PDB file of all heavy atoms in Angstrom:
ATOM      1  N   TYR A   4     119.871  82.837  95.034  1.00  0.00           N
ATOM      2  CA  TYR A   4     118.638  83.648  94.967  1.00  0.00           C
ATOM      3  C   TYR A   4     118.901  85.041  94.431  1.00  0.00           C
ATOM      4  O   TYR A   4     119.930  85.592  94.811  1.00  0.00           O
ATOM      5  CB  TYR A   4     117.951  83.783  96.337  1.00  0.00           C
ATOM      6  CG  TYR A   4     117.306  82.330  96.705  1.00  0.00           C
ATOM      7  CD1 TYR A   4     118.050  81.451  97.512  1.00  0.00           C
ATOM      8  CD2 TYR A   4     115.992  82.025  96.356  1.00  0.00           C
ATOM      9  CE1 TYR A   4     117.568  80.245  97.838  1.00  0.00           C
ATOM     10  CE2 TYR A   4     115.485  80.789  96.714  1.00  0.00           C
ATOM     11  CZ  TYR A   4     116.192  79.903  97.488  1.00  0.00           C
ATOM     12  OH  TYR A   4     115.705  78.661  97.838  1.00  0.00           O
ATOM     13  N   LEU A   6     117.077  88.876  93.987  1.00  0.00           N
ATOM     14  CA  LEU A   6     115.925  89.712  94.373  1.00  0.00           C
ATOM     15  C   LEU A   6     115.820  90.869  93.389  1.00  0.00           C
ATOM     16  O   LEU A   6     116.710  91.738  93.380  1.00  0.00           O
ATOM     17  CB  LEU A   6     116.241  90.277  95.801  1.00  0.00           C
ATOM     18  CG  LEU A   6     115.119  90.826  96.634  1.00  0.00           C
ATOM     19  CD1 LEU A   6     113.878  89.997  96.563  1.00  0.00           C
ATOM     20  CD2 LEU A   6     115.550  90.915  98.056  1.00  0.00           C
ATOM     21  N   ASN A  59     110.806 104.744 113.088  1.00  0.00           N
ATOM     22  CA  ASN A  59     110.892 103.293 113.064  1.00  0.00           C
ATOM     23  C   ASN A  59     109.530 102.843 112.415  1.00  0.00           C
ATOM     24  O   ASN A  59     108.508 102.764 113.185  1.00  0.00           O
ATOM     25  CB  ASN A  59     110.927 102.774 114.506  1.00  0.00           C
ATOM     26  CG  ASN A  59     112.156 103.198 115.244  1.00  0.00           C
ATOM     27  OD1 ASN A  59     113.144 103.684 114.705  1.00  0.00           O
ATOM     28  ND2 ASN A  59     112.089 103.093 116.586  1.00  0.00           N
ATOM     29  N   VAL A 106      92.415 112.457  92.143  1.00  0.00           N
ATOM     30  CA  VAL A 106      92.647 112.634  90.778  1.00  0.00           C
ATOM     31  C   VAL A 106      93.011 111.209  90.242  1.00  0.00           C
ATOM     32  O   VAL A 106      94.052 110.731  90.369  1.00  0.00           O
ATOM     33  CB  VAL A 106      93.792 113.627  90.516  1.00  0.00           C
ATOM     34  CG1 VAL A 106      94.035 113.804  89.036  1.00  0.00           C
ATOM     35  CG2 VAL A 106      93.522 114.853  91.236  1.00  0.00           C
ATOM     36  N   LEU A 123      93.295 123.248  91.741  1.00  0.00           N
ATOM     37  CA  LEU A 123      93.661 124.209  92.800  1.00  0.00           C
ATOM     38  C   LEU A 123      92.969 125.529  92.599  1.00  0.00           C
ATOM     39  O   LEU A 123      92.619 126.160  93.623  1.00  0.00           O
ATOM     40  CB  LEU A 123      95.168 124.406  92.604  1.00  0.00           C
ATOM     41  CG  LEU A 123      96.101 123.311  93.227  1.00  0.00           C
ATOM     42  CD1 LEU A 123      97.586 123.538  92.834  1.00  0.00           C
ATOM     43  CD2 LEU A 123      96.000 123.182  94.729  1.00  0.00           C
ATOM     44  N   LEU A 161     100.364 122.659 100.839  1.00  0.00           N
ATOM     45  CA  LEU A 161     101.574 121.975 101.001  1.00  0.00           C
ATOM     46  C   LEU A 161     101.742 121.012  99.796  1.00  0.00           C
ATOM     47  O   LEU A 161     100.865 120.405  99.354  1.00  0.00           O
ATOM     48  CB  LEU A 161     101.725 121.198 102.270  1.00  0.00           C
ATOM     49  CG  LEU A 161     101.866 121.871 103.565  1.00  0.00           C
ATOM     50  CD1 LEU A 161     101.933 120.797 104.724  1.00  0.00           C
ATOM     51  CD2 LEU A 161     103.052 122.777 103.561  1.00  0.00           C
ATOM     52  N   VAL A 163     103.226 117.466  99.101  1.00  0.00           N
ATOM     53  CA  VAL A 163     103.675 116.253  99.803  1.00  0.00           C
ATOM     54  C   VAL A 163     103.996 115.139  98.818  1.00  0.00           C
ATOM     55  O   VAL A 163     103.111 114.747  98.033  1.00  0.00           O
ATOM     56  CB  VAL A 163     102.663 115.787 100.721  1.00  0.00           C
ATOM     57  CG1 VAL A 163     103.213 114.649 101.666  1.00  0.00           C
ATOM     58  CG2 VAL A 163     102.201 116.981 101.695  1.00  0.00           C
ATOM     59  N   TRP A 180     112.928 122.447  94.245  1.00  0.00           N
ATOM     60  CA  TRP A 180     111.647 122.283  93.667  1.00  0.00           C
ATOM     61  C   TRP A 180     110.519 122.775  94.468  1.00  0.00           C
ATOM     62  O   TRP A 180     109.323 122.907  93.957  1.00  0.00           O
ATOM     63  CB  TRP A 180     111.405 120.799  93.226  1.00  0.00           C
ATOM     64  CG  TRP A 180     112.216 120.332  92.098  1.00  0.00           C
ATOM     65  CD1 TRP A 180     113.165 121.075  91.394  1.00  0.00           C
ATOM     66  CD2 TRP A 180     112.143 119.019  91.486  1.00  0.00           C
ATOM     67  NE1 TRP A 180     113.720 120.243  90.417  1.00  0.00           N
ATOM     68  CE2 TRP A 180     113.097 118.971  90.398  1.00  0.00           C
ATOM     69  CE3 TRP A 180     111.363 117.950  91.715  1.00  0.00           C
ATOM     70  CZ2 TRP A 180     113.189 117.906  89.629  1.00  0.00           C
ATOM     71  CZ3 TRP A 180     111.521 116.797  90.859  1.00  0.00           C
ATOM     72  CH2 TRP A 180     112.526 116.822  89.849  1.00  0.00           C
ATOM     73  N   GLY A 203     111.239 114.316 105.234  1.00  0.00           N
ATOM     74  CA  GLY A 203     111.845 115.561 105.021  1.00  0.00           C
ATOM     75  C   GLY A 203     110.718 116.531 105.196  1.00  0.00           C
ATOM     76  O   GLY A 203     109.630 116.352 104.646  1.00  0.00           O
ATOM     77  N   TRP A 209     106.367 122.971 108.709  1.00  0.00           N
ATOM     78  CA  TRP A 209     106.350 122.994 110.206  1.00  0.00           C
ATOM     79  C   TRP A 209     105.268 124.042 110.628  1.00  0.00           C
ATOM     80  O   TRP A 209     104.711 123.937 111.736  1.00  0.00           O
ATOM     81  CB  TRP A 209     107.712 123.441 110.701  1.00  0.00           C
ATOM     82  CG  TRP A 209     108.720 122.291 110.647  1.00  0.00           C
ATOM     83  CD1 TRP A 209     109.963 122.290 110.099  1.00  0.00           C
ATOM     84  CD2 TRP A 209     108.628 120.996 111.304  1.00  0.00           C
ATOM     85  NE1 TRP A 209     110.602 121.013 110.282  1.00  0.00           N
ATOM     86  CE2 TRP A 209     109.753 120.316 111.039  1.00  0.00           C
ATOM     87  CE3 TRP A 209     107.634 120.441 112.056  1.00  0.00           C
ATOM     88  CZ2 TRP A 209     109.978 118.927 111.478  1.00  0.00           C
ATOM     89  CZ3 TRP A 209     107.815 119.091 112.445  1.00  0.00           C
ATOM     90  CH2 TRP A 209     108.927 118.359 112.181  1.00  0.00           C
ATOM     91  N   ASN A 223     104.717 111.537 116.205  1.00  0.00           N
ATOM     92  CA  ASN A 223     104.610 112.969 116.435  1.00  0.00           C
ATOM     93  C   ASN A 223     105.864 113.679 115.870  1.00  0.00           C
ATOM     94  O   ASN A 223     106.918 113.624 116.558  1.00  0.00           O
ATOM     95  CB  ASN A 223     104.288 113.289 117.929  1.00  0.00           C
ATOM     96  CG  ASN A 223     104.124 114.698 118.218  1.00  0.00           C
ATOM     97  OD1 ASN A 223     104.648 115.578 117.547  1.00  0.00           O
ATOM     98  ND2 ASN A 223     103.272 115.050 119.217  1.00  0.00           N
ATOM     99  N   GLN A 231     115.428 114.555 117.799  1.00  0.00           N
ATOM    100  CA  GLN A 231     116.452 114.252 116.802  1.00  0.00           C
ATOM    101  C   GLN A 231     117.316 115.385 116.418  1.00  0.00           C
ATOM    102  O   GLN A 231     118.481 115.233 116.067  1.00  0.00           O
ATOM    103  CB  GLN A 231     115.727 113.789 115.417  1.00  0.00           C
ATOM    104  CG  GLN A 231     115.002 112.420 115.696  1.00  0.00           C
ATOM    105  CD  GLN A 231     114.584 111.736 114.455  1.00  0.00           C
ATOM    106  OE1 GLN A 231     115.016 111.973 113.359  1.00  0.00           O
ATOM    107  NE2 GLN A 231     113.500 110.949 114.605  1.00  0.00           N
ATOM    108  N   SER A 236     116.155 110.193 119.678  1.00  0.00           N
ATOM    109  CA  SER A 236     114.847 110.070 119.117  1.00  0.00           C
ATOM    110  C   SER A 236     113.824 109.950 120.336  1.00  0.00           C
ATOM    111  O   SER A 236     114.317 109.602 121.360  1.00  0.00           O
ATOM    112  CB  SER A 236     114.827 108.826 118.188  1.00  0.00           C
ATOM    113  OG  SER A 236     115.266 107.713 118.847  1.00  0.00           O
ATOM    114  N   ALA A 280     112.561  94.525  73.076  1.00  0.00           N
ATOM    115  CA  ALA A 280     112.986  93.720  72.074  1.00  0.00           C
ATOM    116  C   ALA A 280     112.553  92.322  72.101  1.00  0.00           C
ATOM    117  O   ALA A 280     112.446  91.602  71.073  1.00  0.00           O
ATOM    118  CB  ALA A 280     114.552  93.713  72.079  1.00  0.00           C
ATOM    119  N   PRO A 291     108.367 106.911  82.202  1.00  0.00           N
ATOM    120  CA  PRO A 291     108.746 105.724  82.995  1.00  0.00           C
ATOM    121  C   PRO A 291     109.684 106.145  84.170  1.00  0.00           C
ATOM    122  O   PRO A 291     110.476 107.045  84.148  1.00  0.00           O
ATOM    123  CB  PRO A 291     109.555 104.949  81.906  1.00  0.00           C
ATOM    124  CG  PRO A 291     110.158 105.900  80.986  1.00  0.00           C
ATOM    125  CD  PRO A 291     109.134 106.984  80.917  1.00  0.00           C
ATOM    126  N   LEU A 383     129.940 103.593  84.491  1.00  0.00           N
ATOM    127  CA  LEU A 383     129.017 103.880  85.605  1.00  0.00           C
ATOM    128  C   LEU A 383     129.763 104.125  86.882  1.00  0.00           C
ATOM    129  O   LEU A 383     130.786 103.528  87.050  1.00  0.00           O
ATOM    130  CB  LEU A 383     127.994 102.728  85.783  1.00  0.00           C
ATOM    131  CG  LEU A 383     126.827 102.647  84.733  1.00  0.00           C
ATOM    132  CD1 LEU A 383     126.003 101.361  85.074  1.00  0.00           C
ATOM    133  CD2 LEU A 383     126.007 103.907  84.681  1.00  0.00           C
TER     134      LEU A 383
END
Side-chain angles (χ1 to χ4, degrees):
Y4 290 92
L6 197 46
N59 300 342
V106 180
L123 286 169
L161 292 181
V163 185
W180 287 6
W209 284 125
N223 184 326
Q231 293 190 28
S236 53
L383 284 180

